[in-house]
Amino acid sequence: MSSVATSEAETAFPIPANVFAETVTAVKHYTDRLFSFRMTRPQSFRFRSGEFVMIGLPNAEKPVYRAYSIASPAWDEELEFFSIKVPGGPLTEHLQKIKVGDTVLMRKKPTGTLVHDALLPGKRLFLFSTGTGIAPFASVIRDPETYEKFDQVILTQTCRENAELNYGRELVENTRNDELMSEFVGDKLMFHASATREGETRGHRVTTLIENGKLFTDLGIEPLNPETDRAMICGSMAMLREIEGLLQARGFEEGANNKPGTYVVERAFVD
Ligand code: A2P
């Protein structure tokens, strides 16, 4: 079994000081570019939904760490992550091969801007993502506080291919049906998914859909309004810039932990 198949790398390199060494409990591959995994959560580890941590593997004297959004909510006993597989990537090349029972390293301090504290109160919360940018929102939409603070939560994800949207589809379905969450979520959670390189939604980037208004007509909701709406953005640098431009043109202002605003962006993952 994989639980006893401790890799040679692990025995060759000691666990660095001041990091958590956690055990993988589940791995799920969605496509040849995307996978998710779950691991044990240290008793003392606290975070706010939407934050990220630095993740590494015990496969070198000085492990390579990368910023990963925690996809699980703060109440979950385990930690979940949603990852891309970069061919030849210093971390993901190895991380994509992890199995149940393997060890993953995690630095101790979570941080990030995609948190409720960085947003002013509002009525609707828009969560705009491309690709694995959905990860922090997987945490936010499973946090009861989100539904205490907002009347409507609109999650959008743009991916290249249809199969890449499956993590988000499962997430939304499971959240709506979850015994604990369904009471908070009710009918407040909306999901708009588009694959830009195939099928009916070919070419439908969320930016295009905001500009031509199709996002709002598809969902049957009012267009963006800074008086009532708040937004969080997570995706590629190009996508962040474009959505920020669209929001600023409509009167939205960026917030931070020490100065809440009407939208927030996570820039930790950009290439
Ligand atoms: P497209 O297929 O038109 O490039 P990537 O894997 O390159 O990060 O892209 C993930 C998704 O984000 C793709 O659907 C891609 O669309 C879309 N995308 C890329 N750039 C932008 C942008 N500037 N604004 C909105 N969506 C974008």
Side-chain angles (χ1 to χ4, degrees), residues 76-177:
D76 200 326
E77 279 175 18
E78 294 185 334
L79 297 171
E80 180 180 311
F81 300 92
F82 185 44
S83 177
I84 193 149
K85 307 173 191 177
V86 182
L91 177 61
T92 62
E93 179 72 24
H94 306 285
L95 192 64
Q96 65 177 286
K97 296 181 191 132
I98 53 166
K99 299 210 161 31
V100 171
D102 286 354
T103 300
V104 171
L105 305 179
M106 183 174 84
R107 290 221 177 112
K108 295 194 168 173
K109 207 181 145 11
T111 184
T113 49
L114 303 178
V115 291
H116 286 304
D117 293 344
L119 286 177
L120 294 166
K123 289 193 165 35
R124 303 191 300 179
L125 177 64
F126 283 82
L127 305 168
F128 296 113
S129 70
T130 54
T132 54
I134 196 173
F137 305 146
S139 180
V140 171
I141 68 161
R142 290 186 277 187
D143 185 341
E145 189 186 351
T146 300
Y147 304 94
E148 283 161 9
K149 294 207 149 135
F150 293 94
D151 299 336
Q152 209 166 43
V153 179
I154 301 111
L155 171 65
T156 81
Q157 189 185 22
T158 310
C159 287
R160 295 182 189 185
E161 293 163 19
N162 198 27
E164 293 175 327
L165 297 164
N166 285 340
Y167 174 83
R169 290 187 180 117
E170 284 173 17
L171 165 77
V172 169
E173 166 110 11
N174 292 341
T175 304
R176 284 184 182 136
N177 297 329

Side-chain angles (χ1 to χ4, degrees), residues 33 84 129-131 158-161 164 194-197 203-208 235-243 271:
R33 296 204 319 143
I84 193 149
S129 70
T130 54
T158 310
C159 287
R160 295 182 189 185
E161 293 163 19
E164 293 175 327
S194 54
T196 48
R197 302 201 184 176
H204 291 190
R205 285 183 174 188
V206 68
T207 40
T208 312
S236 65
M237 185 55 126
M239 175 269 198
L240 299 182
R241 280 214 193 97
E242 275 191 47
I243 303 227
D271 27 42

Side-chain angles (χ1 to χ4, degrees), residues 49-64:
S49 299
E51 287 190 312
F52 68 88
V53 277
M54 305 302 289
I55 291 284
L57 286 171
N59 61 356
E61 197 73 50
K62 288 204 161 168
V64 173

